[in-house]
């Protein structure tokens, strides 16, 4: 390479004279494809920036004359624009072992939901238009019937997420009044959502009862006074209270609330619509059971165990839901047509429970047979070993996945995947971080989890349809260790 030092005036001037004219470079054959891909405006700006950077390098005495050839400029500009054009929102491979990963977008939508969303995106729809009467309609009416059918509730409404559902419920039913919650249920869900904070934001006053580990019915009873608006129970989504504990069930709380003329609201968190035990998964109270046990209102997420889009569902007594829907915040927290289309289509799958484990993506991943994951691990292992290079050993082995998103926090699901360890047997974190980073920098980033001296890639969420693309990207030349060093 002809690396030319700048520095003294004459040489630098000679160097600058070699910078080609922007117009001529743009008109060169090498730039045809770049302009076709990105348009003239962006290409011109990127070329100017490239030449400016070259001039700055020349002044600093580190410019390469080769970098000014039309072909090299086209490559540089193309790479710049490709990076700039790449979407910030990108798909990744979730091999963390957490199926409903909040940071990775939680539930994945089944194909029918994707088709329903695509249709809503491109065609006008009866979002708030009653096709029977020709009059204005209510967007909630598009799916209320289905939600009530699946939960046994009298009425339902949908908002942006479950945090919004709780905020709206408290704002509508308990402004400037007291809400009684057990000290064992003052949950924080990942940073910003904490029951005491939501409560004060909603203008309600939290009345804590019981202790962290034990709360009795008489604690609720004694706390009720003229200012009480609501008795509330919150699902301990991301922790478990075990040992010497006592919690008051909804079935016990409901008669007390009824006798004192107060509603019971339950923040169920994940809110599953079916008994997961039928697929060998840990049991979790369903929304229907919660309603049947006497909850007057139940709030839950659309994108946790339900397996749908981000949404918050509020179901329960018709008079209370009507009051909630009239609150001004409902307008601010309502969902859009894409959410409604996706949610309706996912809810419809629940009408055929016998095909649910195959058609509902979340459930399909949660119930994935260990054998399928083991075979996938064996197929992928050689490619991952080639990519990792001989510094590392790649072994396919059993591991444990989690449901995630605060669903069934203490339960783990036996799974299978690939563990990457240092061949030296050392547990040096830096080296593992390096391979973790290389996987994260692939065109479709691969995300695993480092623990106990190994980087683990849990294959539960890598379905067979994606496997070939996964292996191909590991085998691509620039992914491999030997291509880097
Ligand atoms: C997850 C969760 C929330 C928050 O739900 P989002 O849909 O994430 O807003 C609230 N309460 C409980 C108990 C939860 O588990």
């Amino acid at each position: 390479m002809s690396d030319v030092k700048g520095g003294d005036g004459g040489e630098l001037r000679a160097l600058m004279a070699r910078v080609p004219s922007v117009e001529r470079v743009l008109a060169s054959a090498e730039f045809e494809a770049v302009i076709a891909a990105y348009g003239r405006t962006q290409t011109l700006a990127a070329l100017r920036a490239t030449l400016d950077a070259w001039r700055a390098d020349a002044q600093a005495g580190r410019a390469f004359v080769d970098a000014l050839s039309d072909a090299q400029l086209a490559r540089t500009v193309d790479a710049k624009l490709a990076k700039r054009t790449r979407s910030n929102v990108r798909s990744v491979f979730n091999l963390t072992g957490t199926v409903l990963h909040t940071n990775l977008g939680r539930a994945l939508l089944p194909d029918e939901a994707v088709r329903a969303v695509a249709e809503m995106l491109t065609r006008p729809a009866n979002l708030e238009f009653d096709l029977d009467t020709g009059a204005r309609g209510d967007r909630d009416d598009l799916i209320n019937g289905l939600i009530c059918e699946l939960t046994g509730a009298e009425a339902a409404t949908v908002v942006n997420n479950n945090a919004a559902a709780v905020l709206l419920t408290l704002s509508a039913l308990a402004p400037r009044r007291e809400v009684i919650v057990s000290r064992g249920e003052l949950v924080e869900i990942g940073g910003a959502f904490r029951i005491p904070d939501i409560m004060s934001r909603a203008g309600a006053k939290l009345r804590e009862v019981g202790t962290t580990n034990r709360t009795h019915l008489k604690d609720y009873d004694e706390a009720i006074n003229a200012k009480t608006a609501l008795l509330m129970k919150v699902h301990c989504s991301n922790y478990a209270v075990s040992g010497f504990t006592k919690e008051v069930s909804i079935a016990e709380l409901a008669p007390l609330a009824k006798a004192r003329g107060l509603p019971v609201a339950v923040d169920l968190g994940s809110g599953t619509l079916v008994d997961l035990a039928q697929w060998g998964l840990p049991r979790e109270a369903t929304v229907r059971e919660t309603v049947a046990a006497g909850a007057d209102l139940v709030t839950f997420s659309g994108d946790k165990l339900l397996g749908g889009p981000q949404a918050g569902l509020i179901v329960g007594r018709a008079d209370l839901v009507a009051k909630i829907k009239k609150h001004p915040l409902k307008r601010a927290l309502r969902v859009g047509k894409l959410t409604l289309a996706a949610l309706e289509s996912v809810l419809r799958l629940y009408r055929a429970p016998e095909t649910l484990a195959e058609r509902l993506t979340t459930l399909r991943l949660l119930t994935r047979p260990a054998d399928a994951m083991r075979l996938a691990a064996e197929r992928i292992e050689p490619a991952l070993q080639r990519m990792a290079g001989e510094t590392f050993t790649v072994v396919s082995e059993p591991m444990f996945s989690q449901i995630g998103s605060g669903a069934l926090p203490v339960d783990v699901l036996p799974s299978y995947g690939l563990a990457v360890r240092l061949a030296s047997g050392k547990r040096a974190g830096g080296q593992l971080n390096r391979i973790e980073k290389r996987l994260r920098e692939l065109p479709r980033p691969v995300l695993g989890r480092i623990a106990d001296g190994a980087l683990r890639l849990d294959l539960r969420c890598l379905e067979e349809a994606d496997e070939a693309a996964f292996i191909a990207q590991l085998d691509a030349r620039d992914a491999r260790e030997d291509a880097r060093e």
Side-chain angles (χ1 to χ4, degrees), residues 2 39 78 124 166 177 196 212 225 231 248 255 291 370 379 382 413 422 472:
S2 43
D78 188 62
V166 176
R177 297 180 58 207
T212 305
N225 65 65
L231 307 186
V248 179
V291 170
R379 285 190 299 264
L413 308 173
L422 275 175

Side-chain angles (χ1 to χ4, degrees), residues 106 161-163 189 193 234-235 237 267 269-270 301 303-304 311:
R106 290 193 187 158
N161 54 22
N162 186 33
I189 311 283
F193 181 89
V234 185
H235 189 281
S237 292
D267 175 12
S270 203
S301 294
D303 56 354
K304 292 185 181 172

Side-chain angles (χ1 to χ4, degrees), residues 32 63 65 73 137 164 178 220 332 366 374 381 400:
E32 262 171 40
V65 173
L73 283 171
E178 292 184 3
Y220 287 93
L366 290 175
R374 186 177 52 77
E381 189 193 307
F400 289 100

